[in-house]
Amino acid sequence: MSISINSRIESIEISGIRQFANQLIDFPDAINLTIGQPDFPTPEAVKLAAIEAIKNNQTSYTHNAGLLELRAEIASFFRDSYGLDYNSKTEIIVTNGASEGLDSLFRAILEEGDEVILPAPAYPGYEPIINLCGGKVVYLDTSDTGFQPDPQRLESLITDRTKAVLMNFPSNPTGVTMESAQLEQVAAVLEKHEVFIITDEIYSENSYGEKHSTFARFEKLRDRTFLVHGLSKSHSMTGWRIGFVLGPEMYMKHVLKVHQYNAICASVPGQFAALEAMKNQRHIPAEMNKEYVQRRDFVYSRLTAMGIDVVLPKGAFYIFPSIEKFGMTSYEFAVRLLKEGGVAAVPGSAFTVYGEGFVRISYAYSMPVLEEGMDRLEKFVHSLTD
Ligand SMILES: Cc1ncc(COP(=O)(O)O)c(C=O)c1O
């Protein structure tokens, strides 16, 4: 006899990124360019703030939405950086990473059969959770528009089943971001349709072109926009599990109920660390960005010198070159690159079918690692074309 579990979870597979990364164990000498987290340590002052909190026995539950002092600092950060106005008492929730924030949001807004439009190639963390809530993802293909969502194409996908449109810029996996004028065109479409907007801007502080422009700035959309953010990427705090959701009070009180019953509150030493990061360490991302830009430029110029088509990324720490001309699937390419070339990169198909024909390279690695990785990739590419 076997007792059945939720059929929805049964049909969900582990992420393509993990599936591929799990193969790396058999190739200990491979240069691993698959990881999506900064290679810098968490800033010293941030670590000390958590240690201090623990020493002072600041280790019991906080308010479900997080320490009020932290929420006030988050509100001040978004006011100072982006001119946004969120009430720290009623419109901000501190979550266990952006991941838990997204989960709480989806569970609060989605009902059976609801559709969520998602530009793709896309981060693989969204669809499984949307499906678990009974929702369905409708992909907006950006693979032939320089990874920018085309406003007309977006509008053609909106139906009366559409509950939300989810944007993630700067994007994982493409590194592409939407600049102000492009955001305005998409916002103009969304103004016409009563749908929620979820904007996952976890990479906003890692922007290398014009200053990041947030999707949360459109006043006409404010009463149905949720901004998802966190410290995993900006302050190299992936293991601390601190994220934030900001949104209109009338919906946030419901999101808070999901968060409350699922998590009670975010990790408390993590919240004290986050308080230090948001209050006194706002300069950290700019310091990391100096390194990322140098690395991005290096990887981009090596790829183009190899004759590979690639869009110059303007944010995050990923680059998403086309491998179409090599006449194999992205999975085949990635496996051969690993086995024959000694380099690990994530097959684009891990980011939906619209990522087919590409691979994702992370440049959150030191220059010597990237140099060796690019040398090996070049040799492998030559072995395919010579
Ligand atoms: C686009 C995107 N959103 C959310 C997350 C999850 O972030 P967190 O560590 O805050 O849960 C990631 C992590 O890679 C990501 O790339």
Side-chain angles (χ1 to χ4, degrees):
M1 188 187 88
S2 79
I3 308 171
S4 64
I5 60 155
N6 182 333
S7 57
R8 285 191 185 128
I9 196 70
E10 222 167 3
S11 61
I12 289 172
E13 291 184 8
I14 63 161
S15 114
I17 306 180
R18 279 271 155 252
Q19 278 181 35
F20 190 76
N22 290 347
Q23 298 192 24
L24 282 176
I25 198 156
D26 297 326
F27 299 90
D29 297 329
I31 295 285
N32 180 4
L33 303 180
T34 65
I35 303 289
Q37 61 183 341
D39 60 322
F40 304 101
T42 299
E44 204 54 31
V46 172
K47 293 193 274 194
L48 289 176
I51 292 168
E52 215 36 46
I54 294 169
K55 280 191 184 154
N56 292 332
N57 294 317
Q58 307 265 31
T59 51
S60 35
Y61 297 134
T62 62
H63 186 290
N64 296 126
L67 290 165
L68 186 55
E69 205 185 344
L70 172 57
R71 283 180 280 150
E73 211 49 62
I74 294 167
S76 128
F77 169 79
F78 284 100
R79 193 177 312 112
D80 298 346
S81 300
Y82 301 109
L84 301 177
D85 187 19
Y86 285 97
N87 184 323
S88 53
K89 291 208 174 83
T90 54
E91 296 190 311
I92 299 176
I93 303 175
V94 182
T95 55
N96 289 287
S99 305
E100 192 249 321
L102 286 160
D103 178 68
S104 295
L105 253 182
F106 291 138
R107 289 207 272 159
I109 67 172
L110 290 180
E111 289 186 275
E112 197 70 34
D114 282 347
E115 292 183 354
V116 179
I117 298 176
L118 180 56
Y123 171 60
Y126 307 125
E127 183 170 4
I129 306 298
I130 292 168
N131 289 344
L132 269 178
C133 295
K136 184 177 161 234
V137 172
V138 174
Y139 286 111
L140 165 59
D141 184 5
T142 67
S143 62
D144 58 349
T145 52
F147 305 125
Q148 296 282 346
D150 176 71
Q152 279 74 41
R153 204 178 275 178
L154 167 63
E155 186 149 36
S156 73
L157 297 177
I158 300 176
T159 69
D160 53 8
R161 288 185 304 279
T162 309
K163 181 56 90 56
V165 174
L166 198 169
M167 300 280 168
N168 164 225
F169 295 97
S171 150
N172 177 7
T174 67
V176 160
T177 196
M178 279 173 86
E179 293 182 352
S180 194
Q182 291 156 321
L183 285 182
E184 274 161 29
Q185 290 174 10
V186 172
V189 169
L190 295 175
E191 272 173 25
K192 291 190 266 170
H193 302 275
E194 273 295 310
V195 294
F196 286 120
I197 295 121
I198 300 171
T199 182
D200 175 351
E201 299 184 19
I202 190 135
Y203 295 100
S204 64
E205 303 318 293
N206 304 111
S207 292
Y208 316 124
E210 73 177 37
K211 183 177 158 38
H212 174 74
S213 194
T214 174
F215 215 100
R217 75 180 155 91
F218 297 102
E219 263 314 301
K220 286 189 188 150
L221 299 174
R222 190 201 187 277
D223 63 354
R224 49 193 170 94
T225 297
F226 298 99
L227 173 59
V228 178
H229 210 281
L231 293 171
S232 285
K233 317 290 174 171
S234 64
H235 286 72
S236 197
M237 291 176 67
T238 51
W240 293 82
R241 311 310 304 129
I242 295 292
F244 329 126
V245 181
L246 296 86
E249 179 176 350
M250 69 177 289
Y251 298 120
M252 289 302 279
K253 62 183 182 204
H254 299 297
V255 179
L256 184 60
K257 286 185 269 181
V258 183
H259 168 73
Q260 168 178 355
Y261 289 116
N262 187 26
I264 301 184
C265 64
S267 143
V268 174
Q271 289 194 55
F272 280 94
L275 178 59
E276 171 63 21
M278 295 308 278
K279 199 170 181 172
N280 301 319
Q281 308 298 324
R282 292 187 189 178
H283 57 285
I284 291 291
E287 286 174 14
M288 293 185 189
N289 289 348
K290 280 189 207 145
E291 290 270 342
Y292 290 140
V293 169
Q294 203 196 345
R295 297 168 183 187
R296 176 204 62 173
D297 290 346
F298 169 74
V299 173
Y300 178 78
S301 68
R302 289 293 304 266
L303 291 172
T304 46
M306 289 176 218
I308 290 177
D309 284 339
V310 60
V311 176
L312 178 73
K314 298 219 175 120
F317 29 69
Y318 310 108
I319 190 161
F320 205 58
S322 168
I323 49 89
E324 208 171 0
K325 69 176 187 182
F326 301 110
M328 52 184 126
T329 66
S330 62
Y331 192 79
E332 279 164 353
F333 183 91
V335 169
R336 284 189 59 185
L337 176 61
L338 177 61
K339 291 186 177 163
E340 298 166 30
V343 177
V346 185
S349 54
F351 307 96
T352 78
V353 292
Y354 301 100
E356 188 49 86
F358 301 89
V359 289
R360 188 192 77 174
I361 292 172
S362 163
Y363 52 85
Y365 292 93
S366 69
M367 281 302 282
V369 170
L370 293 173
E371 277 163 16
E372 177 64 21
M374 289 303 111
D375 287 347
R376 291 187 186 190
L377 176 65
E378 188 172 58
K379 236 192 207 166
F380 174 69
V381 164
H382 282 159
S383 77
L384 296 176
T385 48
D386 288 348

